[in-house]
Amino acid sequence: MKRSAAPSAPRDGATAPTTADLRREQLLDAAFALVAERGLEGLRTRDVAARAGVNVATLHYYFASKEDLIVGLVDLVRAKFTARPPIPAGAKPRQELSIRAHLDAAWWVFTSDPRLDSVLLELVSRSSRDPVAREAFRTLHDDWNRIVADELRAAASAGTIRSDLDPIAGARVVTSYIIGARLQLGVNPMAFVPSDVDDELERLLRPAGERQARKGGGAPTARIRTSKSR
Amino acid sequence: MKRSAAPSAPRDGATAPTTADLRREQLLDAAFALVAERGLEGLRTRDVAARAGVNVATLHYYFASKEDLIVGLVDLVRAKFTARPPIPAGAKPRQELSIRAHLDAAWWVFTSDPRLDSVLLELVSRSSRDPVAREAFRTLHDDWNRIVADELRAAASAGTIRSDLDPIAGARVVTSYIIGARLQLGVNPMAFVPSDVDDELERLLRPAGERQARKGGGAPTARIRTSKSR
DNA sequence: TGGTCCATCAACCAGTTGATTGACACAACC
DNA sequence: GGTTGTGTCAATCAACTGGTTGATGGACCA
């Protein structure tokens, strides 16, 4: 007999978590760990249930199907990704270049849970086939880019970064850089030191006046690219 | 009975392709198409064989195991990724800013086969568990970054980009940007227009003299931006 | 003409997979 | 005390999965 709809989805209010909420969380945590270890390719409902310490049937009591479990996982990953490091008590905010703080925070997220890299990639990869995941990551990217664009705007008007910058396009450069850097580091953790490359990006963003003088300083050739791309 | 070792791996010389080579290629093409459609998660040896028009046993005649097939796929994908657009007969090379040409070429690769995005991502994602794939992508990234670094060096000494740039770190910014941009576009093809963001990156790289004067500066500003993103 | 590979297939196998079922313990409620 | 709803499990199922086997036909060679 088909059971009733999935029991209470995670409640967002401040109410105390029910047994069901805890069990759901356990199952999702188990799924997260297993995807990190074996990928979605190797994800088995039995293993998830076993790691959570329950029977397969119990898993199906909380998640109608494996598909449904993965949807839950997308939400978990999104939450992990948008988490930000706790601000130490006496820390003074780094106003100078908030983009740098943003990068630091991003690296913190991935350092705080080394599994996030691969699970996130796994789900993003899946999103080309899974509309639910795609939509989730679409809004995630949109929101993220909006935030970075705002930070760029603020920094530009504060004079900490160059003013001839399109915040929207600049944000895409920054977010794409973060994603690509994580991916490269995933393949080879020793490929480079994030902060070194962050320095470089920061230098690119810095206002002209604060940049190192050009080598040899010959007559600045005012060469201007006029061609459209392609 | 265990069959002899896998028949002739793809020959690299100029010799005419044998039947075996062709069959191998057919099978890999089929696998590529299927991974694009269903991901590694949904890859079945039977389906690969069927799409290639042969029996499962024939697949196993060429590839010892599914694992082995995927290893072959990694090579195929690497070949597709490193392919570059044919240079039109009368085209004059764009010397001015070779990085822009590099970006154009990168976009061309992904436009020429829309499936590459997702298959590449799928395999990179897998590489956190698969040493063979990891090694392949590691060298791929290394080589790629080396090339971009060289291009940056050349452009810097030609004066087409700023000279206060660390080519190594700069290359990581560029390659990471490309990877991240592809990933974001994979989730949402309408997220942005690559060339718009390329413009922005190009502007960041341009020598100081050619950049728009800072706000209030009286000098004639050579602003070349033509399109607003979004 | 007979032998030897190469390439291919239909049929098969053992183990796995997602999902279901019916039963049961427990607590809350009436 | 009886009823009802929640949470859990052992056992089971049908479909699938990667991989194997023995046979078969054709090309090449002696």
Side-chain angles (χ1 to χ4, degrees):
Chain A
M1 183 212 324
K2 186 75 190 157
R3 287 235 167 51
S4 54
S8 59
R11 42 222 5 266
D12 35 16
T15 16
T18 65
T19 322
D21 292 336
L22 290 175
R23 191 60 87 199
R24 253 186 83 95
E25 201 183 313
Q26 282 174 9
L27 285 163
L28 286 176
D29 281 347
F32 182 87
L34 283 169
V35 170
E37 284 175 24
R38 311 176 202 175
L40 286 167
E41 194 185 343
L43 186 69
R44 304 286 174 259
T45 52
R46 272 172 174 69
D47 300 340
V48 175
R51 181 166 298 215
V54 298
N55 187 280
V56 214
T58 304
L59 181 148
H60 277 101
Y61 180 76
Y62 291 97
F63 299 94
S65 64
K66 186 183 181 179
E67 201 73 5
D68 197 31
L69 175 70
I70 295 178
V71 170
L73 194 56
V74 170
D75 256 358
L76 177 65
V77 164
R78 181 165 50 175
K80 282 183 188 275
F81 180 76
T82 52
R84 281 298 170 262
I87 297 169
K92 66 173 203 308
R94 296 176 52 168
Q95 286 288 19
E96 334 93 62
L97 185 49
S98 67
I99 284 302
R100 187 52 180 268
H102 190 100
L103 292 172
D104 289 347
W107 299 155
W108 175 87
V109 167
F110 290 103
T111 312
S112 71
D113 189 344
R115 302 168 303 172
L116 185 57
D117 257 330
S118 70
V119 179
L120 186 54
L121 199 55
E122 204 75 37
L123 290 174
V124 167
S125 179
R126 188 175 207 269
S127 76
S128 69
R129 275 156 272 125
D130 173 359
V132 178
R134 184 164 55 243
E135 179 58 21
F137 288 117
R138 200 186 59 74
T139 60
L140 183 67
H141 286 168
D142 282 357
D143 293 349
W144 185 20
N145 275 277
R146 219 183 327 270
I147 289 170
V148 174
D150 285 346
E151 290 178 347
L152 287 176
R153 254 180 232 107
S157 63
T160 55
I161 66 168
R162 42 199 292 185
S163 57
D164 67 331
L165 190 83
D166 175 13
I168 309 276
R172 287 289 173 189
V173 172
V174 171
T175 56
S176 293
Y177 158 66
I178 293 175
I179 294 170
R182 286 318 309 179
L183 192 142
Q184 291 201 56
L185 287 169
V187 168
N188 177 15
M190 311 294 284
F192 59 97
V193 180
S195 67
D196 287 352
V197 183
D198 289 354
D199 289 345
E200 192 62 35
L201 184 61
E202 196 176 336
R203 204 169 316 128
L204 292 174
L205 291 169
R206 199 170 296 149
E210 301 177 21
R211 284 168 49 218
Q212 176 192 343
R214 294 184 64 193
K215 217 185 302 175
T221 54
R223 190 108 184 291
I224 293 160
R225 247 188 111 240
T226 46
S227 64
K228 301 276 178 294
S229 52
R230 192 171 299 268
Chain B
M1 183 216 318
K2 188 69 188 161
R3 285 233 166 53
S4 55
S8 59
R11 42 218 9 265
D12 35 16
T15 17
T18 66
T19 322
D21 291 337
L22 289 174
R23 189 61 87 199
R24 252 187 84 94
E25 200 183 313
Q26 281 174 9
L27 286 163
L28 287 175
D29 281 347
F32 182 88
L34 282 169
V35 170
E37 284 174 24
R38 311 175 200 175
L40 285 167
E41 195 185 342
L43 185 68
R44 304 287 174 256
T45 52
R46 272 171 173 67
D47 299 341
V48 175
R51 178 164 301 212
V54 298
N55 187 279
V56 216
T58 304
L59 182 149
H60 277 101
Y61 180 75
Y62 290 96
F63 299 95
S65 66
K66 184 182 182 179
E67 202 73 5
D68 197 32
L69 176 70
I70 294 177
V71 170
L73 194 56
V74 170
D75 257 357
L76 175 66
V77 163
R78 181 166 49 175
K80 282 182 188 275
F81 180 75
T82 51
R84 280 300 170 261
I87 298 169
K92 67 172 200 314
R94 295 177 51 170
Q95 288 286 20
E96 333 92 62
L97 186 47
S98 66
I99 285 301
R100 187 52 180 265
H102 190 101
L103 292 172
D104 289 347
W107 298 155
W108 174 87
V109 167
F110 289 104
T111 312
S112 71
D113 189 343
R115 302 168 302 172
L116 184 57
D117 256 328
S118 70
V119 178
L120 186 55
L121 198 56
E122 204 74 36
L123 290 175
V124 168
S125 179
R126 187 174 208 270
S127 76
S128 69
R129 274 156 273 127
D130 173 358
V132 178
R134 183 163 58 245
E135 180 57 20
F137 288 117
R138 200 186 59 73
T139 59
L140 182 67
H141 286 168
D142 283 356
D143 293 348
W144 185 21
N145 274 277
R146 220 184 324 272
I147 289 171
V148 174
D150 285 346
E151 290 178 347
L152 286 176
R153 254 180 232 109
S157 61
T160 56
I161 67 169
R162 40 199 293 183
S163 56
D164 67 331
L165 188 84
D166 174 14
I168 308 278
R172 287 289 173 189
V173 172
V174 171
T175 57
S176 292
Y177 158 66
I178 293 174
I179 293 170
R182 286 319 308 180
L183 192 142
Q184 291 201 55
L185 287 169
V187 169
N188 177 14
M190 312 292 285
F192 59 97
V193 179
S195 68
D196 285 352
V197 183
D198 289 353
D199 289 344
E200 192 63 34
L201 184 60
E202 196 176 336
R203 203 171 315 127
L204 291 175
L205 291 170
R206 198 168 296 149
E210 302 176 20
R211 285 167 48 220
Q212 176 194 358
R214 297 186 65 192
K215 237 181 291 184
T221 58
R223 191 109 193 287
I224 20 170
R225 254 191 102 235
T226 47
S227 66
K228 304 270 176 293
S229 48
R230 201 191 279 274

